[in-house]
Amino acid sequence: MEPVSKRVEIIPVKRRAMILEWFRKHSAASIQELSESIGASASTIRRDLEYLTDAGYLERTHGGAVLATPTRATFELDSSTNAQLFTLQKRAIGRLAATRLSSKDSVIFDSSSTVLEAARAAVERRVELTALTNSLDIASLCRAAPAIRVIVPGGSLRVGSQTLVGDPGETFLKTVHADLCFVGAQAITGNQLSDAAIEIASMKRIMLSSARRTILLIDSSKFHAPAFCTFCEVQRIDEIITDSGVTPENLASLAAFGVTVTVAEVDPSEAG
């Protein structure tokens, strides 16, 4: 990330995502380094660091901060912040995933941010679909596409998110037989896919059982220690689409389970 000579107003959620991306690349940083790199005042950066520390993302040090490790099993990224992280990777994965869709398909979209990018790419491709989703963000996106019929299964809206969980959605999903399911995960560890929230894991589990084929959309940052609740084993997945940041060790591990893995190439020129 290059220093900027002129400060440009950046919305807080984007600025905090930029801070987290800096830490991911550089491990640690001072307030001065972040201020110069991102183009925000030291006082603004200090407030952002306090916010990210209180939220569990960072641990403060003298004059700066470091990424909090290890991440707690029940730790969930704030949905608005998560949407701003690894955007190029998620976009590349989503575009590739959308090529798996054919006209007249019925598809289940879970509420993951990478799956949102697949839905966005499907809208751009103008594929005629029946889309079932527990994400109000995805439902709203698809509703604007005349070729897509949108079904929202119902349930309770999770605090701080646009995701529906529980009944009547779960009961309805058990009656569905979709062609394809796009699902994400908070962590992939060995052959285990997991999520920090029990209710999200439960919804994913039912979605998987309600589709003939399942494709896991997961960026390369998700290969780490398990989150709180396992919802599926890798062998249950028909294809995994990840990005070119995935390590050879992780690819070898997945190959040992006999799962098809497709790597989406990230285009750095799209950064901005």
Side-chain angles (χ1 to χ4, degrees):
M1 191 179 296
E2 296 295 327
V4 296
S5 56
K6 182 180 179 180
R7 286 177 179 164
V8 179
E9 186 67 26
I10 303 173
I11 61 172
V13 66
K14 177 66 174 178
R15 191 175 61 243
R16 290 163 188 163
M18 293 170 68
I19 291 172
L20 291 174
E21 179 69 7
W22 173 276
F23 279 109
R24 187 182 69 84
K25 291 180 177 179
H26 301 89
S27 299
S30 68
I31 290 173
Q32 184 63 29
E33 286 174 323
L34 292 169
S35 176
E36 294 175 356
S37 174
I38 293 172
S41 68
S43 60
T44 296
I45 294 296
R46 190 174 291 106
R47 286 193 298 271
D48 284 337
L49 292 180
E50 290 173 356
Y51 175 91
L52 293 169
T53 300
D54 290 343
Y57 295 90
L58 301 175
E59 294 176 356
R60 291 300 302 272
T61 62
H62 180 69
V66 296
L67 282 174
T69 54
T71 299
R72 299 182 300 279
T74 54
F75 175 74
E76 291 186 74
L77 291 169
D78 172 78
S79 58
S80 59
T81 302
N82 184 46
Q84 298 292 331
L85 297 173
F86 302 98
T87 53
L88 294 183
Q89 291 84 348
K90 292 173 181 177
R91 196 175 303 154
I93 292 168
R95 286 174 180 167
L96 184 54
T99 66
R100 303 298 190 259
L101 297 169
S102 300
S103 181
K104 308 293 186 180
D105 273 351
S106 55
V107 56
I108 298 173
F109 293 107
D110 91 336
S111 57
S112 305
S113 58
T114 309
V115 174
L116 172 63
E117 292 302 322
R120 195 186 313 279
V123 169
E124 291 172 354
R125 292 183 66 230
R126 300 183 180 180
V127 185
E128 186 175 354
L129 301 170
T130 295
L132 192 158
T133 183
N134 67 326
S135 164
L136 297 185
D137 285 332
I138 293 177
S140 179
L141 174 69
C142 292
R143 184 180 64 85
I148 300 180
R149 177 191 181 205
V150 182
I151 300 172
V152 178
S156 299
L157 192 62
R158 295 193 78 213
V159 175
S161 80
Q162 293 286 86
T163 302
L164 295 167
V165 294
D167 274 328
E170 287 193 357
T171 297
F172 172 73
L173 277 166
K174 291 175 182 178
T175 70
V176 170
H177 307 280
D179 297 307
L180 185 62
C181 175
F182 286 144
V183 66
Q186 185 159 321
I188 178 169
T189 316
N191 74 332
Q192 302 291 310
L193 305 178
S194 56
D195 197 275
I198 293 175
E199 64 271 24
I200 293 291
S202 177
M203 185 66 82
K204 290 177 187 285
R205 202 173 292 122
I206 296 169
M207 287 178 164
L208 292 171
S209 299
S210 299
R212 296 182 179 90
R213 294 184 64 240
T214 298
I215 299 180
L216 174 70
L217 309 183
I218 192 164
D219 71 74
S220 55
S221 74
K222 302 295 178 62
F223 289 80
H224 55 66
F228 187 64
C229 189
T230 294
F231 65 86
C232 179
E233 292 186 347
V234 163
Q235 294 91 327
R236 173 67 178 76
I237 302 297
D238 294 287
E239 181 182 8
I240 296 175
I241 302 180
T242 187
D243 63 80
S244 48
V246 65
T247 67
E249 293 78 13
N250 288 328
L251 288 175
S253 175
L254 294 174
F257 297 123
V259 63
T260 299
V261 181
T262 307
V263 176
E265 293 297 328
V266 178
D267 184 359
S269 68
E270 293 186 355

